Amino acid sequence: MTIVVAFGLVLTVMWRAPWFLDRVELGRLHDPGPKATVVSGFRTGLAALAVASAGAIGLIFQQRNLKITQQTLEHNRQKDRRQLELTLEAQLTDYYIKAVSLLAHTDRTERLGGIYALERIMRDSAKDHDTVVQLLAAYIREYAKRDRSRAQVIGSKPNPPSDDIRAALTVLGRRPERAAESEIDLSNTDLPCVNLHHARLPRTLFVGCNLDGAELTGANLAGSSFYRASLRHIQANNVNLRGTQLSEADMRDADALGADLRDALMHKADLRGAHLTAGNLHGASLHEAQLVDTSTGGKITIVDVEQLLTASVTDDTKLSNAHRQAEGMEAHINKCTRAHIMGESGPN
């Protein structure tokens, strides 16, 4: 309605304005030729102005309609996105429930399917990452409990865990790296001869674990705890054990060539026969660690004097005569012993 009124007003102005000007100003022109020319020019100008105004109004309305259309499309996209997220969430929840139910299946193949299904969920859903990790860790603790009542026959090769336990460990070791990961608790489990080659398991609790004969070459186990764990005959070349807790761990005959043991706590660790050549022991604490068989003096830790001089070696560290009598070792032992005593009584 407004547009019709405006259009009528423009037509009225175009038609009547020249005659108004004729009475006011053009009346001074006695020649009708100039009058006609002025009237025609005025009407032409008004017509051009009207057309331009109509075009401008049209553009304004077009931009307004375009903005409304864009807002409508964005609203629809957000609505569709939310709907898709809800659908995927429902599907993921259903998939998760089915995967968890498979873990309790009596058939081992079904349990394997559940483990790998959980791995898929962990990779696809960042918010479910930690839940899956903790679930798999609990599964391993439940089905690979360490039975300390069973004594292993000396010289016999330990039996590796079942396929599902090994699969769960493999999944944990190759999980996606994400921020704010919580530690993994695998304490008091029986995991001999497992293959954790290049596994990523930093800050993992292996307290009291049996990892005899395990393959740990190239694994990242920094900050983990192996307190009172059994690590006999492990293959751990170039393993990252920086800052680990290895106190009272049994590492007899461990092959840890080139291992990173910086700042590791190895109090009372049994290292007889361990191969630590080319490893980094800077800052490692060897207080009361056993690097030689004191009863026979036979089996000793294969380690260079230069490595020991970078570690904390005290009077209570059980060293071979060759290591203890090496140049600079006595002074280093005395220095470390004083520092250890002061460290124990320092806070007082």
Side-chain angles (χ1 to χ4, degrees):
M1 185 65 182
T2 304
I3 298 175
V4 174
V5 173
F7 184 70
L9 183 60
V10 170
L11 290 177
T12 302
V13 171
M14 290 177 61
W15 181 257
R16 300 302 302 171
W19 304 111
F20 174 76
L21 291 175
D22 180 37
R23 288 194 296 271
V24 177
E25 296 292 338
L26 299 181
R28 300 174 185 176
L29 300 174
H30 301 290
D31 188 352
K35 286 184 179 183
T37 302
V38 172
V39 170
S40 177
F42 184 82
R43 288 177 175 171
T44 302
L46 279 179
L49 180 61
V51 172
S53 300
I57 293 171
L59 286 176
I60 292 173
F61 276 101
Q62 185 178 9
Q63 289 180 347
R64 181 183 176 186
N65 292 335
L66 180 60
K67 184 177 181 180
I68 293 173
T69 302
Q70 290 175 339
Q71 291 175 345
T72 302
L73 289 174
E74 180 61 26
H75 175 74
N76 291 336
R77 278 197 294 266
Q78 291 179 358
K79 184 178 178 181
D80 292 341
R81 191 181 302 116
R82 286 194 297 269
Q83 185 61 44
L84 179 60
E85 290 174 354
L86 290 173
T87 302
L88 292 176
E89 184 73 19
Q91 291 176 347
L92 197 62
T93 301
D94 183 60
Y95 195 37
Y96 177 81
I97 293 173
K98 292 179 179 178
V100 172
S101 66
L102 288 175
L103 293 183
H105 205 281
T106 55
D107 184 69
R108 187 174 297 169
T109 303
E110 297 291 334
R111 297 201 298 271
L112 284 171
I115 290 169
Y116 291 122
L118 287 171
E119 179 182 26
R120 174 66 181 274
I121 293 172
M122 177 174 56
R123 291 187 176 277
D124 292 345
S125 176
K127 72 176 184 177
D128 293 311
H129 176 103
D130 193 58
T131 301
V132 173
V133 168
Q134 298 307 322
L135 178 61
L136 290 177
Y139 181 84
I140 293 170
R141 292 196 305 271
E142 176 64 25
Y143 291 98
K145 290 179 182 178
R146 186 176 183 182
D147 187 357
R148 296 178 181 272
S149 64
R150 291 187 307 172
Q152 183 183 334
V153 179
I154 298 175
S156 64
K157 187 176 181 179
N159 295 321
S162 57
D163 293 342
D164 51 333
I165 297 298
R166 295 203 301 271
L169 281 168
T170 299
V171 169
L172 289 177
R174 68 187 183 196
R175 70 195 187 284
E177 187 170 1
R178 293 190 171 109
E181 290 182 327
S182 58
E183 65 183 13
I184 302 172
D185 188 0
L186 299 176
S187 300
N188 299 309
T189 50
D190 198 22
L191 306 171
C193 302
V194 293
N195 187 348
L196 295 176
H197 187 267
H198 287 290
R200 190 180 67 82
L201 291 167
R203 299 190 302 112
T204 300
L205 299 179
F206 291 100
V207 177
C209 273
N210 174 18
L211 287 161
D212 290 348
E215 171 59 71
L216 305 176
T217 298
N220 179 8
L221 299 166
S224 296
S225 177
F226 294 90
Y227 178 67
R228 290 188 172 179
S230 184
L231 301 163
R232 300 180 63 177
H233 301 283
I234 61 170
Q235 297 296 314
N237 296 338
N238 300 310
V239 66
N240 184 356
L241 292 170
R242 184 172 183 176
T244 53
Q245 169 61 270
L246 287 160
S247 296
E248 300 185 42
D250 187 351
M251 296 183 66
R252 282 177 287 177
D253 301 305
D255 188 356
L257 179 67
D260 186 352
L261 286 160
R262 285 176 289 176
D263 302 315
L265 297 177
M266 306 170 76
H267 300 168
K268 298 183 180 180
D270 191 343
L271 300 167
R272 289 175 292 172
H275 198 318
L276 303 179
T277 304
N280 192 338
L281 290 171
H282 185 81
S285 179
L286 295 169
H287 177 61
E288 292 190 79
Q290 189 169 358
L291 282 74
V292 64
D293 192 331
T294 53
S295 59
T296 64
K299 187 179 288 188
I300 64 173
T301 303
I302 304 174
V303 61
D304 295 330
V305 173
E306 290 76 11
Q307 292 174 270
L308 294 176
L309 290 175
T310 66
S312 176
V313 182
T314 65
D315 277 335
D316 293 323
T317 304
K318 298 175 179 60
L319 298 173
S320 67
N321 290 331
H323 284 140
R324 189 172 289 274
Q325 295 170 7
E327 183 179 357
M329 184 58 70
E330 183 178 358
H332 181 66
I333 290 174
N334 292 334
K335 178 182 176 181
C336 292
T337 302
R338 288 195 300 271
H340 180 71
I341 294 173
M342 293 183 66
E344 290 182 343
S345 59
N348 299 323

